[in-house]
């Protein structure tokens, strides 16, 4: 280039370097997203709603009449239900997983049929009645997933994260 020139790369190189490093290993962003999704999942469980906003199927009326407390899904505390076991973890450098280690978590998320493994029938109390059945169908009550609001919140977190990297705040 003849005449006068200005090399701009020196003025933005620190910001670009910070941005590049922060996007290669966005741990701080993933931590924030993980915490957001755990709280959102718990909120949905208390509201008895799926990530798509639909209400969970109603409980069996006989079971609902005798049920005490928050139930298997929503009871809080160390000896509580599924809600107290919702956690997130890093899945490599670029992803997170949200879920539970409780074995019954899948049947509540996906629904399914429970059949006896070694007995002739399933036997349980329902209200004042002793019930013997060949199977029980558990309807899906999805709790894991990303709602439209979660998507917007994650985008806001990512925007704030990138803005911070460009402003020179380290990840």
């Amino acid at each position: 280039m003849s005449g006068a020139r200005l090399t701009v790369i020196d003025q933005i190189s620190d910001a670009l370097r910070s941005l590049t490093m922060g996007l290669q290993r966005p741990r701080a962003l993933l931590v924030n997203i993980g915490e957001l999704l755990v709280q959102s999942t718990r909120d949905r469980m208390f509201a008895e709603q799926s990530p798509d906003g639909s209400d969970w199927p109603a409980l069996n009326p006989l079971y609902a009449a005798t049920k005490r407390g928050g139930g298997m899904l929503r009871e809080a505390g160390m000896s509580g239900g599924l809600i107290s076991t919702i956690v997130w973890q890093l899945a490599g450098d670029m992803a997170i997983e949200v879920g539970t280690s409780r074995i019954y978590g899948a049947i509540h998320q996906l629904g399914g049929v429970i059949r006896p493994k070694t007995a002739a029938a399933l036997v349980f109390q329902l209200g004042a009645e002793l019930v013997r059945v060949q199977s029980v169908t558990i309807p899906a009550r999805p709790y894991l997933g990303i709602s439209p609001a979660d998507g917007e919140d994650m985008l806001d977190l990512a925007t704030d994260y990138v803005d911070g990297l460009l402003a020179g705040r380290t990840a």
Side-chain angles (χ1 to χ4, degrees), residues 104-171:
Y104 56 85
I107 193 100
H108 289 289
Q109 174 75 16
L110 304 170
V113 177
I114 299 174
R115 293 183 177 83
K117 288 186 179 184
T118 57
L122 297 170
V123 180
F124 53 92
Q125 188 93 19
L126 198 55
E129 188 179 333
L130 188 63
V131 179
R132 295 177 60 89
V133 295
Q134 295 302 307
S135 65
V136 173
T137 300
I138 305 290
R141 291 183 173 91
Y143 54 94
L144 297 173
I146 297 173
S147 70
D150 292 338
E152 291 174 18
D153 290 343
M154 289 189 307
L155 186 56
D156 289 344
L157 287 172
T159 299
D160 291 346
Y161 179 74
V162 169
D163 288 347
L165 293 174
L166 288 171
R169 295 187 299 272
T170 56

Short mmCIF file of all heavy atoms in Angstrom, two decimals, residues 104-171:
data_model
loop_
_atom_site.label_atom_id
_atom_site.label_comp_id
_atom_site.label_asym_id
_atom_site.label_seq_id
_atom_site.Cartn_x
_atom_site.Cartn_y
_atom_site.Cartn_z
N TYR A 104 -34.54 -44.87 38.80
CA TYR A 104 -35.92 -44.66 38.36
C TYR A 104 -36.09 -43.36 37.57
O TYR A 104 -37.19 -43.04 37.13
CB TYR A 104 -36.90 -44.70 39.55
CG TYR A 104 -36.60 -43.72 40.65
CD1 TYR A 104 -37.07 -42.41 40.59
CD2 TYR A 104 -35.87 -44.11 41.77
CE1 TYR A 104 -36.80 -41.51 41.60
CE2 TYR A 104 -35.60 -43.20 42.79
CZ TYR A 104 -36.06 -41.91 42.70
OH TYR A 104 -35.80 -41.02 43.69
N GLY A 105 -35.02 -42.62 37.36
CA GLY A 105 -35.10 -41.38 36.60
C GLY A 105 -35.57 -41.59 35.17
O GLY A 105 -36.34 -40.80 34.64
N ALA A 106 -35.12 -42.67 34.55
CA ALA A 106 -35.47 -42.92 33.14
C ALA A 106 -36.95 -43.21 32.96
O ALA A 106 -37.57 -42.72 32.01
CB ALA A 106 -34.63 -44.07 32.58
N ILE A 107 -37.54 -44.01 33.85
CA ILE A 107 -38.96 -44.36 33.68
C ILE A 107 -39.84 -43.12 33.82
O ILE A 107 -40.85 -42.99 33.14
CB ILE A 107 -39.41 -45.48 34.65
CG1 ILE A 107 -40.77 -46.03 34.24
CG2 ILE A 107 -39.49 -45.00 36.08
CD1 ILE A 107 -40.74 -47.28 33.49
N HIS A 108 -39.43 -42.19 34.65
CA HIS A 108 -40.23 -40.97 34.79
C HIS A 108 -40.02 -40.03 33.59
O HIS A 108 -40.96 -39.37 33.17
CB HIS A 108 -39.92 -40.27 36.11
CG HIS A 108 -40.44 -41.03 37.28
ND1 HIS A 108 -41.79 -41.12 37.55
CD2 HIS A 108 -39.81 -41.77 38.22
CE1 HIS A 108 -41.96 -41.87 38.63
NE2 HIS A 108 -40.78 -42.29 39.04
N GLN A 109 -38.82 -39.99 33.05
CA GLN A 109 -38.54 -39.16 31.89
C GLN A 109 -39.24 -39.71 30.64
O GLN A 109 -39.85 -38.96 29.88
CB GLN A 109 -37.03 -39.08 31.65
CG GLN A 109 -36.61 -38.35 30.39
CD GLN A 109 -36.75 -36.85 30.46
OE1 GLN A 109 -36.88 -36.27 31.53
NE2 GLN A 109 -36.71 -36.19 29.33
N LEU A 110 -39.14 -41.01 30.43
CA LEU A 110 -39.58 -41.63 29.18
C LEU A 110 -40.92 -42.36 29.27
O LEU A 110 -41.55 -42.60 28.24
CB LEU A 110 -38.52 -42.63 28.70
CG LEU A 110 -37.11 -42.07 28.52
CD1 LEU A 110 -36.12 -43.19 28.28
CD2 LEU A 110 -37.08 -41.04 27.41
N GLY A 111 -41.32 -42.72 30.49
CA GLY A 111 -42.50 -43.55 30.65
C GLY A 111 -42.15 -45.00 30.36
O GLY A 111 -41.06 -45.30 29.87
N GLY A 112 -43.06 -45.89 30.69
CA GLY A 112 -42.80 -47.30 30.41
C GLY A 112 -43.72 -48.19 31.20
O GLY A 112 -44.58 -47.74 31.95
N VAL A 113 -43.51 -49.48 31.01
CA VAL A 113 -44.31 -50.49 31.68
C VAL A 113 -43.43 -51.25 32.66
O VAL A 113 -42.33 -51.69 32.31
CB VAL A 113 -44.93 -51.47 30.65
CG1 VAL A 113 -45.72 -52.57 31.35
CG2 VAL A 113 -45.81 -50.71 29.67
N ILE A 114 -43.92 -51.41 33.89
CA ILE A 114 -43.21 -52.17 34.91
C ILE A 114 -43.92 -53.51 35.06
O ILE A 114 -45.14 -53.56 35.22
CB ILE A 114 -43.20 -51.42 36.26
CG1 ILE A 114 -42.48 -50.08 36.10
CG2 ILE A 114 -42.55 -52.27 37.34
CD1 ILE A 114 -42.53 -49.20 37.32
N ARG A 115 -43.14 -54.58 34.95
CA ARG A 115 -43.66 -55.94 35.09
C ARG A 115 -42.87 -56.65 36.19
O ARG A 115 -41.70 -56.33 36.40
CB ARG A 115 -43.51 -56.70 33.77
CG ARG A 115 -44.39 -56.16 32.67
CD ARG A 115 -44.26 -57.01 31.40
NE ARG A 115 -45.16 -56.54 30.36
CZ ARG A 115 -44.89 -55.53 29.54
NH1 ARG A 115 -43.75 -54.89 29.63
NH2 ARG A 115 -45.78 -55.15 28.64
N PRO A 116 -43.47 -57.65 36.84
CA PRO A 116 -42.71 -58.37 37.87
C PRO A 116 -41.55 -59.14 37.24
O PRO A 116 -41.68 -59.68 36.13
CB PRO A 116 -43.75 -59.32 38.48
CG PRO A 116 -44.84 -59.43 37.46
CD PRO A 116 -44.82 -58.16 36.67
N LYS A 117 -40.42 -59.19 37.94
CA LYS A 117 -39.26 -59.93 37.43
C LYS A 117 -39.31 -61.40 37.84
O LYS A 117 -39.04 -62.28 37.03
CB LYS A 117 -37.97 -59.30 37.94
CG LYS A 117 -37.65 -57.98 37.29
CD LYS A 117 -36.30 -57.48 37.73
CE LYS A 117 -35.97 -56.18 37.04
NZ LYS A 117 -34.64 -55.71 37.36
N THR A 118 -39.63 -61.64 39.10
CA THR A 118 -39.60 -63.02 39.58
C THR A 118 -40.93 -63.48 40.17
O THR A 118 -41.15 -64.67 40.33
CB THR A 118 -38.50 -63.18 40.66
OG1 THR A 118 -38.75 -62.25 41.72
CG2 THR A 118 -37.13 -62.92 40.07
N ALA A 119 -41.80 -62.57 40.49
CA ALA A 119 -43.10 -62.92 41.09
C ALA A 119 -44.16 -63.07 40.01
O ALA A 119 -43.97 -62.68 38.86
CB ALA A 119 -43.52 -61.83 42.08
N ALA A 120 -45.28 -63.63 40.41
CA ALA A 120 -46.39 -63.83 39.47
C ALA A 120 -47.10 -62.52 39.16
O ALA A 120 -47.71 -62.37 38.11
CB ALA A 120 -47.39 -64.84 40.04
N ALA A 121 -47.02 -61.56 40.12
CA ALA A 121 -47.71 -60.28 39.92
C ALA A 121 -47.01 -59.20 40.73
O ALA A 121 -46.22 -59.48 41.63
CB ALA A 121 -49.17 -60.41 40.38
N LEU A 122 -47.31 -57.96 40.38
CA LEU A 122 -46.91 -56.82 41.21
C LEU A 122 -47.97 -56.67 42.29
O LEU A 122 -49.17 -56.74 42.00
CB LEU A 122 -46.84 -55.54 40.37
CG LEU A 122 -45.83 -55.50 39.23
CD1 LEU A 122 -46.07 -54.26 38.36
CD2 LEU A 122 -44.41 -55.50 39.78
N VAL A 123 -47.54 -56.47 43.52
CA VAL A 123 -48.48 -56.32 44.62
C VAL A 123 -48.12 -55.04 45.37
O VAL A 123 -46.97 -54.84 45.76
CB VAL A 123 -48.41 -57.53 45.59
CG1 VAL A 123 -49.40 -57.35 46.74
CG2 VAL A 123 -48.67 -58.83 44.84
N PHE A 124 -49.13 -54.18 45.54
CA PHE A 124 -48.91 -52.92 46.25
C PHE A 124 -50.22 -52.39 46.80
O PHE A 124 -51.30 -52.82 46.40
CB PHE A 124 -48.22 -51.88 45.36
CG PHE A 124 -48.93 -51.64 44.04
CD1 PHE A 124 -49.88 -50.64 43.92
CD2 PHE A 124 -48.63 -52.42 42.94
CE1 PHE A 124 -50.54 -50.43 42.72
CE2 PHE A 124 -49.29 -52.22 41.72
CZ PHE A 124 -50.24 -51.22 41.62
N GLN A 125 -50.11 -51.46 47.74
CA GLN A 125 -51.27 -50.83 48.36
C GLN A 125 -51.63 -49.59 47.56
O GLN A 125 -50.78 -48.77 47.24
CB GLN A 125 -50.92 -50.43 49.80
CG GLN A 125 -52.07 -49.94 50.61
CD GLN A 125 -52.72 -51.07 51.40
OE1 GLN A 125 -52.12 -52.10 51.62
NE2 GLN A 125 -53.94 -50.86 51.82
N LEU A 126 -52.90 -49.43 47.25
CA LEU A 126 -53.40 -48.24 46.57
C LEU A 126 -54.65 -47.79 47.31
O LEU A 126 -55.70 -48.40 47.20
CB LEU A 126 -53.71 -48.56 45.10
CG LEU A 126 -53.84 -47.40 44.14
CD1 LEU A 126 -52.61 -46.50 44.15
CD2 LEU A 126 -54.07 -47.90 42.73
N GLY A 127 -54.50 -46.76 48.10
CA GLY A 127 -55.58 -46.37 49.00
C GLY A 127 -55.69 -47.43 50.07
O GLY A 127 -54.71 -47.87 50.64
N ALA A 128 -56.89 -47.89 50.34
CA ALA A 128 -57.12 -48.94 51.33
C ALA A 128 -57.11 -50.32 50.68
O ALA A 128 -57.33 -51.33 51.34
CB ALA A 128 -58.46 -48.71 52.04
N GLU A 129 -56.86 -50.37 49.40
CA GLU A 129 -56.98 -51.61 48.64
C GLU A 129 -55.61 -52.21 48.33
O GLU A 129 -54.67 -51.51 47.95
CB GLU A 129 -57.69 -51.26 47.32
CG GLU A 129 -58.07 -52.42 46.48
CD GLU A 129 -58.80 -51.96 45.21
OE1 GLU A 129 -59.45 -50.89 45.25
OE2 GLU A 129 -58.72 -52.67 44.21
N LEU A 130 -55.48 -53.53 48.49
CA LEU A 130 -54.29 -54.26 48.09
C LEU A 130 -54.48 -54.66 46.63
O LEU A 130 -55.47 -55.31 46.27
CB LEU A 130 -54.08 -55.49 48.97
CG LEU A 130 -52.76 -56.22 48.77
CD1 LEU A 130 -51.59 -55.31 49.15
CD2 LEU A 130 -52.73 -57.50 49.59
N VAL A 131 -53.56 -54.28 45.79
CA VAL A 131 -53.70 -54.47 44.34
C VAL A 131 -52.70 -55.51 43.86
O VAL A 131 -51.53 -55.48 44.26
CB VAL A 131 -53.48 -53.12 43.61
CG1 VAL A 131 -53.59 -53.30 42.11
CG2 VAL A 131 -54.45 -52.08 44.10
N ARG A 132 -53.16 -56.42 43.00
CA ARG A 132 -52.30 -57.40 42.32
C ARG A 132 -52.51 -57.23 40.82
O ARG A 132 -53.62 -57.41 40.33
CB ARG A 132 -52.66 -58.82 42.73
CG ARG A 132 -52.42 -59.15 44.17
CD ARG A 132 -52.87 -60.57 44.50
NE ARG A 132 -52.19 -61.59 43.73
CZ ARG A 132 -51.05 -62.19 44.09
NH1 ARG A 132 -50.49 -61.85 45.23
NH2 ARG A 132 -50.49 -63.10 43.33
N VAL A 133 -51.46 -56.88 40.11
CA VAL A 133 -51.57 -56.66 38.66
C VAL A 133 -50.36 -57.27 37.95
O VAL A 133 -49.32 -57.50 38.55
CB VAL A 133 -51.69 -55.15 38.31
CG1 VAL A 133 -52.97 -54.56 38.85
CG2 VAL A 133 -50.49 -54.38 38.81
N GLN A 134 -50.53 -57.50 36.66
CA GLN A 134 -49.45 -58.05 35.85
C GLN A 134 -48.46 -56.98 35.40
O GLN A 134 -47.31 -57.27 35.11
CB GLN A 134 -50.02 -58.76 34.62
CG GLN A 134 -50.85 -59.98 34.98
CD GLN A 134 -50.05 -60.99 35.78
OE1 GLN A 134 -48.98 -61.39 35.37
NE2 GLN A 134 -50.57 -61.37 36.94
N SER A 135 -48.94 -55.73 35.34
CA SER A 135 -48.06 -54.64 34.92
C SER A 135 -48.65 -53.30 35.35
O SER A 135 -49.84 -53.20 35.63
CB SER A 135 -47.87 -54.65 33.39
OG SER A 135 -49.10 -54.38 32.75
N VAL A 136 -47.79 -52.33 35.41
CA VAL A 136 -48.19 -50.95 35.70
C VAL A 136 -47.55 -50.06 34.65
O VAL A 136 -46.35 -50.17 34.37
CB VAL A 136 -47.71 -50.50 37.11
CG1 VAL A 136 -47.99 -49.02 37.32
CG2 VAL A 136 -48.37 -51.34 38.18
N THR A 137 -48.35 -49.20 34.04
CA THR A 137 -47.83 -48.26 33.05
C THR A 137 -47.58 -46.92 33.73
O THR A 137 -48.49 -46.34 34.33
CB THR A 137 -48.81 -48.09 31.88
OG1 THR A 137 -49.00 -49.36 31.25
CG2 THR A 137 -48.28 -47.09 30.86
N ILE A 138 -46.35 -46.47 33.65
CA ILE A 138 -45.96 -45.17 34.19
C ILE A 138 -45.94 -44.20 33.00
O ILE A 138 -45.15 -44.40 32.06
CB ILE A 138 -44.56 -45.21 34.84
CG1 ILE A 138 -44.48 -46.28 35.92
CG2 ILE A 138 -44.16 -43.84 35.36
CD1 ILE A 138 -45.27 -46.00 37.16
N PRO A 139 -46.76 -43.17 33.01
CA PRO A 139 -46.72 -42.22 31.90
C PRO A 139 -45.45 -41.38 31.95
O PRO A 139 -44.89 -41.14 33.03
CB PRO A 139 -47.96 -41.36 32.12
CG PRO A 139 -48.24 -41.45 33.57
CD PRO A 139 -47.77 -42.80 34.02
N ALA A 140 -44.98 -40.96 30.81
CA ALA A 140 -43.81 -40.09 30.77
C ALA A 140 -44.12 -38.76 31.46
O ALA A 140 -45.18 -38.18 31.24
CB ALA A 140 -43.39 -39.84 29.32
N ARG A 141 -43.21 -38.34 32.30
CA ARG A 141 -43.28 -37.02 32.93
C ARG A 141 -41.91 -36.37 32.69
O ARG A 141 -41.07 -36.32 33.58
CB ARG A 141 -43.61 -37.14 34.41
CG ARG A 141 -45.02 -37.62 34.66
CD ARG A 141 -45.38 -37.66 36.14
NE ARG A 141 -46.79 -37.96 36.31
CZ ARG A 141 -47.28 -39.20 36.44
NH1 ARG A 141 -46.47 -40.23 36.44
NH2 ARG A 141 -48.58 -39.39 36.57
N PRO A 142 -41.68 -35.92 31.45
CA PRO A 142 -40.35 -35.40 31.09
C PRO A 142 -39.96 -34.22 31.97
O PRO A 142 -40.75 -33.29 32.17
CB PRO A 142 -40.51 -34.96 29.64
CG PRO A 142 -41.73 -35.65 29.14
CD PRO A 142 -42.61 -35.85 30.33
N TYR A 143 -38.77 -34.28 32.49
CA TYR A 143 -38.23 -33.19 33.30
C TYR A 143 -36.91 -32.69 32.73
O TYR A 143 -36.56 -31.53 32.90
CB TYR A 143 -38.08 -33.62 34.77
CG TYR A 143 -37.27 -34.88 34.95
CD1 TYR A 143 -35.91 -34.83 35.20
CD2 TYR A 143 -37.87 -36.13 34.84
CE1 TYR A 143 -35.16 -35.98 35.35
CE2 TYR A 143 -37.14 -37.28 34.99
CZ TYR A 143 -35.79 -37.21 35.25
OH TYR A 143 -35.06 -38.37 35.38
N LEU A 144 -36.18 -33.54 32.02
CA LEU A 144 -34.92 -33.14 31.40
C LEU A 144 -35.18 -32.59 30.01
O LEU A 144 -36.00 -33.14 29.27
CB LEU A 144 -33.97 -34.33 31.31
CG LEU A 144 -33.52 -34.94 32.62
CD1 LEU A 144 -32.72 -36.20 32.37
CD2 LEU A 144 -32.72 -33.93 33.43
N GLY A 145 -34.50 -31.53 29.67
CA GLY A 145 -34.64 -30.94 28.35
C GLY A 145 -34.44 -29.44 28.43
O GLY A 145 -34.23 -28.88 29.51
N ILE A 146 -34.48 -28.82 27.30
CA ILE A 146 -34.26 -27.37 27.20
C ILE A 146 -35.54 -26.72 26.72
O ILE A 146 -36.02 -27.00 25.62
CB ILE A 146 -33.08 -27.07 26.26
CG1 ILE A 146 -31.80 -27.69 26.84
CG2 ILE A 146 -32.93 -25.57 26.04
CD1 ILE A 146 -30.61 -27.61 25.94
N SER A 147 -36.08 -25.88 27.57
CA SER A 147 -37.31 -25.15 27.21
C SER A 147 -36.95 -23.97 26.31
O SER A 147 -35.78 -23.58 26.23
CB SER A 147 -37.99 -24.64 28.48
OG SER A 147 -37.23 -23.60 29.06
N PRO A 148 -37.93 -23.38 25.65
CA PRO A 148 -37.64 -22.17 24.87
C PRO A 148 -37.00 -21.07 25.74
O PRO A 148 -36.07 -20.40 25.30
CB PRO A 148 -39.01 -21.75 24.35
CG PRO A 148 -39.77 -23.04 24.24
CD PRO A 148 -39.31 -23.84 25.43
N ALA A 149 -37.47 -20.91 26.97
CA ALA A 149 -36.88 -19.90 27.86
C ALA A 149 -35.44 -20.25 28.21
O ALA A 149 -34.58 -19.37 28.29
CB ALA A 149 -37.71 -19.75 29.13
N ASP A 150 -35.16 -21.55 28.40
CA ASP A 150 -33.77 -21.98 28.65
C ASP A 150 -32.88 -21.60 27.48
O ASP A 150 -31.75 -21.14 27.66
CB ASP A 150 -33.69 -23.50 28.84
CG ASP A 150 -34.35 -23.99 30.11
OD1 ASP A 150 -34.52 -23.20 31.06
OD2 ASP A 150 -34.71 -25.20 30.15
N GLY A 151 -33.38 -21.82 26.26
CA GLY A 151 -32.60 -21.48 25.07
C GLY A 151 -32.25 -20.00 25.03
O GLY A 151 -31.11 -19.62 24.74
N GLU A 152 -33.23 -19.17 25.35
CA GLU A 152 -32.98 -17.72 25.39
C GLU A 152 -31.98 -17.35 26.49
O GLU A 152 -31.08 -16.54 26.28
CB GLU A 152 -34.29 -16.97 25.60
CG GLU A 152 -35.23 -17.04 24.42
CD GLU A 152 -36.60 -16.42 24.71
OE1 GLU A 152 -36.70 -15.64 25.68
OE2 GLU A 152 -37.54 -16.71 23.96
N ASP A 153 -32.15 -17.97 27.66
CA ASP A 153 -31.24 -17.68 28.77
C ASP A 153 -29.82 -18.14 28.46
O ASP A 153 -28.85 -17.45 28.80
CB ASP A 153 -31.73 -18.35 30.05
CG ASP A 153 -33.00 -17.72 30.60
OD1 ASP A 153 -33.32 -16.57 30.20
OD2 ASP A 153 -33.67 -18.36 31.43
N MET A 154 -29.68 -19.28 27.79
CA MET A 154 -28.34 -19.75 27.42
C MET A 154 -27.69 -18.81 26.40
O MET A 154 -26.49 -18.53 26.47
CB MET A 154 -28.40 -21.17 26.87
CG MET A 154 -28.71 -22.21 27.93
SD MET A 154 -28.54 -23.93 27.38
CE MET A 154 -29.56 -23.97 25.92
N LEU A 155 -28.49 -18.32 25.47
CA LEU A 155 -27.97 -17.37 24.49
C LEU A 155 -27.52 -16.08 25.19
O LEU A 155 -26.46 -15.53 24.86
CB LEU A 155 -29.01 -17.08 23.42
CG LEU A 155 -28.57 -16.20 22.26
CD1 LEU A 155 -27.34 -16.78 21.56
CD2 LEU A 155 -29.71 -16.03 21.26
N ASP A 156 -28.30 -15.61 26.17
CA ASP A 156 -27.90 -14.42 26.94
C ASP A 156 -26.58 -14.67 27.68
O ASP A 156 -25.71 -13.80 27.71
CB ASP A 156 -28.99 -14.03 27.95
CG ASP A 156 -30.23 -13.44 27.28
OD1 ASP A 156 -30.16 -13.05 26.09
OD2 ASP A 156 -31.28 -13.39 27.97
N LEU A 157 -26.45 -15.86 28.29
CA LEU A 157 -25.20 -16.18 28.99
C LEU A 157 -24.03 -16.21 28.01
O LEU A 157 -22.94 -15.71 28.33
CB LEU A 157 -25.33 -17.54 29.69
CG LEU A 157 -26.21 -17.59 30.94
CD1 LEU A 157 -26.38 -19.03 31.41
CD2 LEU A 157 -25.63 -16.73 32.05
N ALA A 158 -24.24 -16.79 26.84
CA ALA A 158 -23.16 -16.86 25.84
C ALA A 158 -22.78 -15.47 25.35
O ALA A 158 -21.59 -15.15 25.18
CB ALA A 158 -23.59 -17.74 24.67
N THR A 159 -23.77 -14.61 25.15
CA THR A 159 -23.50 -13.23 24.71
C THR A 159 -22.70 -12.48 25.77
O THR A 159 -21.70 -11.81 25.45
CB THR A 159 -24.82 -12.50 24.41
OG1 THR A 159 -25.50 -13.20 23.36
CG2 THR A 159 -24.57 -11.06 23.98
N ASP A 160 -23.10 -12.61 27.03
CA ASP A 160 -22.37 -11.97 28.12
C ASP A 160 -20.95 -12.50 28.22
O ASP A 160 -20.01 -11.76 28.47
CB ASP A 160 -23.08 -12.17 29.46
CG ASP A 160 -24.39 -11.42 29.55
OD1 ASP A 160 -24.64 -10.52 28.71
OD2 ASP A 160 -25.18 -11.73 30.48
N TYR A 161 -20.79 -13.79 28.01
CA TYR A 161 -19.48 -14.43 28.07
C TYR A 161 -18.56 -13.87 26.98
O TYR A 161 -17.43 -13.47 27.24
CB TYR A 161 -19.64 -15.94 27.93
CG TYR A 161 -18.35 -16.71 27.95
CD1 TYR A 161 -17.65 -16.90 29.13
CD2 TYR A 161 -17.84 -17.28 26.79
CE1 TYR A 161 -16.47 -17.62 29.16
CE2 TYR A 161 -16.67 -18.00 26.80
CZ TYR A 161 -15.98 -18.17 27.99
OH TYR A 161 -14.81 -18.89 27.99
N VAL A 162 -19.06 -13.82 25.74
CA VAL A 162 -18.26 -13.30 24.63
C VAL A 162 -17.95 -11.81 24.83
O VAL A 162 -16.82 -11.36 24.60
CB VAL A 162 -18.96 -13.56 23.28
CG1 VAL A 162 -18.28 -12.81 22.14
CG2 VAL A 162 -18.99 -15.06 22.98
N ASP A 163 -18.94 -11.05 25.30
CA ASP A 163 -18.69 -9.63 25.58
C ASP A 163 -17.58 -9.47 26.61
O ASP A 163 -16.72 -8.59 26.48
CB ASP A 163 -19.97 -8.94 26.10
CG ASP A 163 -21.01 -8.73 25.01
OD1 ASP A 163 -20.68 -8.89 23.82
OD2 ASP A 163 -22.17 -8.43 25.38
N GLY A 164 -17.59 -10.32 27.63
CA GLY A 164 -16.55 -10.28 28.65
C GLY A 164 -15.19 -10.63 28.09
O GLY A 164 -14.18 -9.99 28.44
N LEU A 165 -15.13 -11.61 27.20
CA LEU A 165 -13.85 -11.97 26.58
C LEU A 165 -13.32 -10.82 25.74
O LEU A 165 -12.13 -10.50 25.80
CB LEU A 165 -14.02 -13.22 25.70
CG LEU A 165 -14.33 -14.53 26.42
CD1 LEU A 165 -14.63 -15.62 25.40
CD2 LEU A 165 -13.21 -14.93 27.35
N LEU A 166 -14.20 -10.18 24.99
CA LEU A 166 -13.77 -9.07 24.14
C LEU A 166 -13.34 -7.85 24.98
O LEU A 166 -12.49 -7.08 24.56
CB LEU A 166 -14.87 -8.67 23.17
CG LEU A 166 -15.12 -9.67 22.04
CD1 LEU A 166 -16.37 -9.29 21.27
CD2 LEU A 166 -13.91 -9.76 21.12
N ALA A 167 -13.92 -7.72 26.17
CA ALA A 167 -13.56 -6.60 27.05
C ALA A 167 -12.29 -6.90 27.85
O ALA A 167 -11.85 -6.06 28.65
CB ALA A 167 -14.70 -6.31 28.00
N GLY A 168 -11.74 -8.10 27.65
CA GLY A 168 -10.50 -8.44 28.33
C GLY A 168 -10.68 -9.14 29.67
O GLY A 168 -9.70 -9.39 30.37
N ARG A 169 -11.92 -9.45 30.03
CA ARG A 169 -12.12 -10.22 31.25
C ARG A 169 -11.82 -11.68 30.92
O ARG A 169 -12.35 -12.23 29.98
CB ARG A 169 -13.54 -10.05 31.78
CG ARG A 169 -13.83 -8.62 32.22
CD ARG A 169 -15.17 -8.49 32.90
NE ARG A 169 -16.32 -8.84 32.08
CZ ARG A 169 -16.96 -7.99 31.29
NH1 ARG A 169 -16.57 -6.73 31.19
NH2 ARG A 169 -18.01 -8.39 30.59
N THR A 170 -10.99 -12.30 31.72
CA THR A 170 -10.58 -13.67 31.41
C THR A 170 -11.70 -14.65 31.74
O THR A 170 -12.54 -14.39 32.59
CB THR A 170 -9.32 -14.08 32.21
OG1 THR A 170 -9.59 -13.89 33.60
CG2 THR A 170 -8.14 -13.23 31.77
N ALA A 171 -11.66 -15.77 31.06
CA ALA A 171 -12.69 -16.81 31.22
C ALA A 171 -12.51 -17.56 32.53
O ALA A 171 -11.48 -17.65 33.08
CB ALA A 171 -12.63 -17.77 30.06
#
